[in-house]
């Protein structure tokens, strides 16, 4: 794979008013990370772009002059994946999130100059959306194309190697950033900005923050070195983030390749996830069944539209498949069947939540309360990030009385079980409560003040409680406000104008 000539040096400033506005609009819709929806500060900053752009430009100057930013505004908490294994999530200071996303847009706009069209038929993860520059990624390319490409390759190359990198984002180190900036024709300032970000988020300790768009762009650039190696060998190949599939005509060729792949991936400083590492032969009968299924699907009506997360395309086929398996007629029955289990299938529940984003109001009003009911149950912790996003998306279409009832019930559940809940769970439940209801009974004020002090060591929980109180002044007392005013990090939540001072 041959790269094009390096682009000319980035003589113009990265940060411009139009770049900042595009970025803020993007963050308002999609958020800077899957686990932390846009902070309340972002909504304020949207109305003060004339003051925001100069503030972001100052961060650019700090990066160029190697002036370090403080780590104090960065919050980290343990969230949970499908098997309840903890994963460390990072919340960035809002100004750093905006600056890094401005640079992400700049990188995405130059993806074609970085590796041309060579990877168009091989990479199906976070692909740049050059035809619609207001969005970072192409929403028409994703998981379904990754699956389809595998089916096409298996027709002529039936031996498949499946590789998944273990904890990819968390294992990114400084030398990976350095390799990207030397192996790809990036501008000198690109290297400066990526290194500045990595140092600011303490990447040497935590790796790249999981979920943010800037991490996704940097991740794609890092993985391009594996792309280049595999394609230089002439192997048939496709990739979705760190999920890699390589196809061969014979078992001997595949086994020979395995040894070389292990050496290359290990040499880059990554580990292969042994639980997902497989060599298998895709049988002709399986390929024919998939092809038949694909043909029938192409003539069927797609109930759900594709949306931002490229993995969410699984919703299109998976919901219908699960209906047939369980003999359920609708999402309500699917969710009910799942909640009847002692241990629910988290992957299925996440698919149902994604589907609810495109469901009618009547279905949302039945299904959403079912999910909220289990917010404090340990088996349901992994669905909370998606439940937060769903709350923000659907609250405006639900009955006002139902929304207020759900918020009150969540407060009571939180009060009863908070001492056995992790900080990340408490923070997410506070966000759901704050998003659900425009008003809360003032009697809950004392509880949230008490909760604020109980979680004095969690920036995330405290910020979410302040977000909740700021939007519902009736439950915030003067003493609390005085306390917040002594902490500049918390004050930015209460009074976002301090970010621009």
């Amino acid at each position: 794979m041959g790269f094009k000539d390096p682009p000319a040096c980035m003589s113009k400033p990265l940060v411009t008013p139009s770049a900042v506005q595009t970025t803020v609009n993007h963050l308002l819709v999609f958020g800077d990370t899957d686990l932390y929806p846009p902070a309340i500060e972002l909504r304020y900053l949207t109305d003060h772009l004339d003051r925001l752009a100069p503030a972001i430009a100052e961060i650019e100057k700090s990066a160029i002059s190697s002036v370090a930013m403080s780590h104090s505004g960065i919050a980290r908490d343990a969230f949970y994946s499908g098997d309840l294994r903890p994963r460390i999530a990072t919340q960035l200071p809002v100004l750093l999130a905006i600056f890094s996303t401005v640079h992400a847009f700049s990188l995405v706009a130059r993806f074609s100059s970085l590796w041309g069209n060579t990877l168009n038929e091989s990479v199906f993860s976070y692909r740049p959306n050059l035809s619609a520059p207001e969005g970072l990624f192409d929403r028409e390319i994703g998981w379904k194309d990754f699956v389809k490409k595998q089916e096409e390759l298996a027709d002529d190359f039936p031996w498949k190697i499946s590789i998944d990198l273990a904890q990819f984002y968390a294992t990114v180190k400084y030398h990976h950033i350095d390799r990207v900036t030397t192996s790809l024709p990036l501008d000198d300032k690109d290297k400066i900005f990526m290194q500045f970000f990595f140092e600011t988020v303490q990447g040497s300790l935590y790796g790249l923050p999981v979920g943010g768009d800037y991490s996704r762009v940097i991740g794609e650039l890092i993985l391009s070195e594996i792309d280049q190696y595999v394609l230089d060998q002439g192997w048939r190949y496709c990739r979705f983030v760190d999920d890699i599939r390589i196809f061969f005509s014979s078992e001997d060729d595949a086994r020979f390749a395995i040894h070389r792949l292990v050496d290359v991936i290990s040499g880059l400083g990554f580990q292969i996830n042994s639980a997902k590492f497989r060599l298998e032969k895709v049988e002709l009968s399986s390929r024919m069944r998939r092809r038949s299924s694909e043909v029938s699907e192409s003539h069927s009506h797609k109930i759900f539209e594709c949306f931002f997360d490229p993995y969410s395309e699984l919703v299109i086929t998976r919901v219908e498949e699960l209906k047939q398996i369980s003999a359920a007629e609708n999402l309500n029955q699917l969710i009910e069947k799942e909640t009847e289990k002692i241990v629910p299938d988290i992957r299925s529940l996440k698919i149902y939540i994604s589907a609810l984003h495109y469901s009618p109001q009547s279905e949302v009003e039945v299904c959403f309360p079912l999910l909220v009911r289990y917010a404090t149950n340990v088996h349901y912790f992994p669905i909370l990030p998606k439940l937060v996003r769903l709350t923000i998306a659907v609250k405006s279409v639900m009955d006002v009385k139902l929304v207020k009832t759900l918020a009150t019930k969540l407060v009571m559940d939180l009060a009863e079980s908070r001492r056995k809940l992790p900080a990340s769970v408490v923070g997410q439940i506070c966000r759901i409560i704050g998003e659900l209801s425009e008003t809360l009974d003032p009697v809950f004020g004392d509880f949230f003040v008490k909760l604020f002090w109980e979680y004095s060591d969690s920036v995330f929980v405290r910020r979410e409680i302040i977000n909740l109180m700021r939007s519902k002044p009736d439950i915030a007392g003067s003493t609390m406000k005085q306390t917040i005013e002594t902490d500049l990090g918390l004050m930015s939540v209460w009074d976002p104008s301090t970010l621009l001072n």
Side-chain angles (χ1 to χ4, degrees):
M1 178 176 62
F3 293 124
K4 297 185 178 181
D5 293 333
C9 183
M10 190 191 302
S11 58
K12 297 180 179 180
L14 172 71
V15 176
T16 64
S18 61
V20 172
Q21 182 163 13
T22 297
T23 295
V24 171
N25 291 341
H26 172 81
L27 291 177
L28 278 172
V29 176
F30 301 118
D32 62 315
T33 154
D34 293 334
L35 299 178
Y36 292 86
I40 197 168
E41 298 102 306
L42 192 60
R43 297 167 187 160
Y44 173 87
L45 296 174
T46 305
D47 297 327
H48 296 82
L49 288 173
D50 57 329
R51 296 173 62 198
L52 175 60
I56 304 301
E58 287 300 316
I59 299 180
E60 179 179 3
K61 293 177 183 177
S62 297
I64 294 172
S65 59
S66 301
V67 176
M69 286 186 66
S70 170
H71 304 308
S72 61
I74 298 175
R76 288 185 175 89
D77 278 287
F79 283 69
Y80 301 88
S81 55
D83 55 2
L84 286 177
R85 287 186 303 177
R87 56 186 293 194
I88 303 301
T90 304
Q91 183 181 34
L92 303 177
V94 64
L95 297 185
L96 179 61
I98 294 172
F99 172 73
S100 63
T101 310
V102 168
H103 189 220
F105 269 98
S106 173
L107 289 170
V108 162
R110 290 177 284 130
F111 258 46
S112 59
S113 69
L114 299 181
W115 52 53
N117 297 320
T118 310
L119 299 181
N120 282 354
E121 295 300 317
S122 302
V123 178
F124 300 95
S125 40
Y126 296 100
R127 289 264 294 275
N129 189 12
L130 301 180
S131 62
E134 70 278 0
L136 267 176
F137 305 115
D138 193 335
R139 299 173 66 187
E140 299 302 318
I141 298 173
W143 185 266
K144 71 178 187 302
D145 302 280
F146 178 58
V147 173
K148 183 178 179 182
K149 186 63 178 181
Q150 293 180 63
E151 295 170 358
E152 293 173 357
L153 291 172
D155 284 341
D156 298 315
F157 304 91
W159 285 93
K160 178 174 73 171
I161 298 174
S162 299
I163 296 176
D164 177 80
L165 303 186
Q167 299 292 315
F168 169 61
Y169 288 111
T171 54
V172 169
K173 301 299 181 186
Y174 190 91
H175 71 85
H176 293 116
I177 304 295
D178 190 57
R179 288 180 71 98
V180 165
T181 56
T182 56
S183 63
L184 291 174
L186 293 166
D187 186 276
D188 289 341
K189 285 187 179 179
D190 291 326
K191 179 177 182 176
I192 291 171
F193 296 148
M194 283 192 279
Q195 290 177 341
F196 170 79
F197 176 81
F198 198 70
E199 291 170 0
T200 300
V201 299
Q202 297 176 289
S204 59
L205 295 177
Y206 299 99
L208 282 175
V210 176
D213 287 334
Y214 196 46
S215 293
R216 290 168 178 146
V217 172
I218 294 176
E220 290 298 313
L221 296 177
I222 291 171
L223 289 165
S224 70
E225 189 164 358
I226 298 178
D227 298 331
Q228 181 177 8
Y229 174 81
V230 172
L231 293 175
D232 282 350
Q233 308 309 306
W235 298 338
R236 274 66 179 182
Y237 162 79
C238 57
R239 175 175 67 79
F240 192 99
V241 192
D242 60 330
D243 289 334
I244 299 168
R245 308 288 185 266
I246 311 176
F247 294 80
F248 300 87
S249 56
S250 71
E251 182 178 5
D252 288 344
D253 289 344
R255 290 193 180 278
F256 176 72
I258 286 174
H259 297 286
R260 298 171 69 180
L261 283 166
V262 170
D263 286 344
V264 168
I265 291 173
S266 299
L268 292 175
F270 296 115
Q271 293 185 351
I272 293 174
N273 185 341
S274 58
K276 297 182 179 180
F277 181 61
R278 295 192 304 275
L279 168 62
E280 60 186 325
K281 185 176 184 181
V282 184
E283 300 296 337
L284 179 62
S285 57
S286 298
R287 304 202 302 270
M288 293 299 291
R289 281 199 301 272
R290 283 199 303 270
R291 190 180 302 164
S292 174
S293 173
E294 180 183 340
V295 171
S296 62
E297 182 187 337
S298 66
H299 293 288
S300 63
H301 173 64
K302 289 184 178 180
I303 298 178
F304 306 105
E305 299 178 12
C306 301
F307 44 99
F308 176 65
D309 185 351
Y311 281 106
S312 67
E313 293 161 343
L314 290 167
V315 174
I316 297 171
T317 55
R318 187 62 175 155
V319 170
E320 290 303 310
E321 180 183 329
L322 291 170
K323 283 182 183 178
Q324 294 175 8
I325 292 173
S326 62
E329 296 179 358
N330 49 42
L331 270 175
N332 180 30
Q333 290 184 8
L334 282 172
I335 293 173
E336 283 183 337
K337 288 178 181 292
E338 211 56 63
T339 56
E340 289 170 0
K341 299 177 182 178
I342 296 176
V343 179
D345 183 336
I346 292 300
R347 185 168 182 245
S348 294
L349 281 174
K350 287 182 177 180
I351 290 173
Y352 303 153
I353 291 173
S354 296
L356 281 171
H357 279 267
Y358 292 89
S359 296
Q361 177 181 350
S362 58
E363 191 162 47
V364 170
E365 289 188 342
V366 172
C367 296
F368 185 78
L370 282 175
L371 295 166
V372 169
R373 182 191 307 170
Y374 294 94
T376 59
N377 184 310
V378 63
H379 295 298
Y380 292 81
F381 290 172
I383 72 169
L384 284 176
K386 285 189 176 293
L387 194 58
V388 170
R389 299 298 295 249
L390 180 65
T391 303
I392 295 169
V394 305
K395 64 180 181 179
S396 62
V397 302
M398 293 194 296
D399 179 77
V400 175
K401 291 183 179 179
L402 172 62
V403 165
K404 186 172 183 177
T405 299
L406 289 174
T408 300
K409 177 67 166 57
L410 261 183
V411 175
M412 297 173 67
D413 289 346
L414 182 60
E416 182 179 346
S417 57
R418 70 184 186 279
R419 288 187 173 85
K420 60 183 181 182
L421 298 179
S424 63
V425 172
V426 173
Q428 289 173 98
I429 291 175
C430 287
R431 170 55 68 99
I432 293 173
I433 293 169
E435 293 288 349
L436 272 178
S437 185
E438 295 298 326
T439 60
L440 276 176
D441 193 322
V443 73
F444 293 135
D446 290 341
F447 165 68
F448 283 109
V449 170
K450 185 177 181 180
L451 198 65
F452 181 88
W453 291 112
E454 287 179 1
Y455 285 87
S456 59
D457 59 344
S458 174
V459 175
F460 175 40
V461 173
R462 289 189 139 200
R463 285 170 66 91
E464 291 305 323
I465 292 174
I466 294 172
N467 281 339
L468 190 154
M469 289 185 165
R470 182 172 178 267
S471 61
K472 298 162 182 59
D474 291 344
I475 64 172
S478 58
T479 303
M480 172 62 74
K481 188 172 181 181
Q482 290 174 2
T483 301
I484 294 168
E485 288 173 347
T486 64
D487 187 318
L488 294 180
L490 298 177
M491 187 59 189
S492 70
V493 187
W494 191 268
D495 181 10
S497 64
T498 59
L499 288 167
L500 302 178
N501 289 343

